[in-house]
Amino acid sequence: MTEKTPKFFVVGMCLWYLATGMEYGFILPTINDYIKSTGAPANTIGLALTFFALSGLLSSPVIGWLTDRQKSLRVSFVFSLLCSIIGYAAYTFFQSASMILVGRLISGIGWGVDGAIIGRVSLATGKNSGTFIGVCLLCRQVGIIFAGVLNFAWISNWGVFSIFGFEINPFNSAGFVCIIIYLVFGAVSVLSLKDEPKGSNEDVSEASVMLEENLTEKQYKYKQVFLSYFLP
């Protein structure tokens, strides 16, 4: 197992979870009004949420398999990051109900990398993996809170302006901010992959042995406690 914790790698993955949390905090409060502004039925939001979850559901095992094959996050993470950026470009710049759904479908693929990230962070941090995984997930919650406050206090008051001929208004500004977030945070996360420990079969075998030893010790303790109730 890795003896030295690859801090830059862990920080990069924390930034990914922070970005996904901010996406959650920006999009969910605004997507219903955005869909209504296109003239689509209000229940279209159900499809938008379903498309996002469905693509994440289907992509997660594929991205996990790819990560295991390559023993690295580099290809799968960059692919997921590009899906998030392209998805929100479609969501933001082509203001129609159909493109909102397409954008959500594509961006949902990006969330499929979550399981692979957890696996690689666990492998990279060894005995302290529980702490580092907890910090990663904490960053997502921080992102949700921060984005909600930022959206209420600042972004919702942007008004209307144009970027390269595309109109940005109060309805699609959340998607535009998500593009910026993924470009900035994603760039740092990609750079942090240089610090990712290269996985090996020996690492996985050692992790399995450690897990088996821990389980055996716990099972022994539980057995002793159980027998103490029935034996003098």
Side-chain angles (χ1 to χ4, degrees):
M1 294 296 291
T2 305
E3 294 181 0
K4 183 179 178 181
T5 301
K7 295 180 181 179
F8 186 33
F9 170 65
V10 175
V11 169
M13 296 305 99
C14 284
L15 286 178
W16 166 261
Y17 279 99
L18 182 65
T20 57
M22 292 181 73
E23 172 195 338
Y24 193 97
F26 282 127
I27 296 300
L28 255 63
T30 59
I31 188 173
N32 192 38
D33 289 337
Y34 186 22
I35 289 174
K36 288 181 179 179
S37 73
T38 65
N43 58 8
T44 306
I45 189 174
L47 288 177
L49 298 176
T50 300
F51 279 22
F52 183 86
L54 179 63
S55 59
L57 172 71
L58 297 177
S59 65
S60 184
V62 176
I63 292 174
W65 173 83
L66 178 63
T67 303
D68 287 341
R69 283 290 301 273
Q70 298 199 332
K71 298 182 175 64
S72 172
L73 270 172
R74 293 181 183 181
V75 174
S76 54
F77 184 85
V78 171
F79 171 74
S80 299
L81 177 62
L82 289 175
C83 285
S84 295
I85 295 171
I86 293 171
Y88 278 107
Y91 177 94
T92 303
F93 298 130
F94 303 97
Q95 301 179 41
S96 67
S98 59
M99 290 308 295
I100 290 175
L101 295 179
V102 169
R104 292 291 287 171
L105 184 67
I106 297 173
S107 60
I109 297 173
W111 279 50
V113 78
D114 278 11
I117 290 175
I118 291 297
R120 297 304 296 177
V121 169
S122 177
L123 188 61
T125 54
K127 295 180 179 179
N128 298 318
S129 60
T131 300
F132 285 103
I133 290 172
V135 170
C136 286
L137 298 179
L138 172 68
C139 287
R140 175 168 286 171
Q141 307 308 312
V142 171
I144 294 172
I145 296 170
F146 181 67
V149 174
L150 194 63
N151 189 46
F152 175 79
W154 182 43
I155 294 173
S156 60
N157 299 319
W158 275 4
V160 180
F161 59 94
S162 295
I163 296 289
F164 302 115
F166 294 100
E167 180 183 288
I168 305 299
N169 55 50
F171 299 114
N172 66 354
S173 58
F176 178 66
V177 174
C178 285
I179 295 173
I180 297 174
I181 289 171
Y182 278 118
L183 284 172
V184 176
F185 289 4
V188 179
S189 296
V190 169
L191 290 175
S192 76
L193 294 176
K194 294 182 179 180
D195 195 38
E196 178 192 8
K198 189 68 175 178
S200 66
N201 293 333
E202 288 75 15
D203 289 334
V204 176
S205 298
E206 185 178 341
S208 300
V209 170
M210 290 174 60
L211 179 60
E212 184 176 352
E213 288 177 349
N214 290 335
L215 287 176
T216 302
E217 183 179 351
K218 289 181 180 179
Q219 289 171 351
Y220 176 77
K221 289 180 179 179
Y222 291 147
K223 182 179 179 180
Q224 292 299 107
V225 172
F226 177 78
L227 290 176
S228 68
Y229 284 104
F230 298 99
L231 297 179

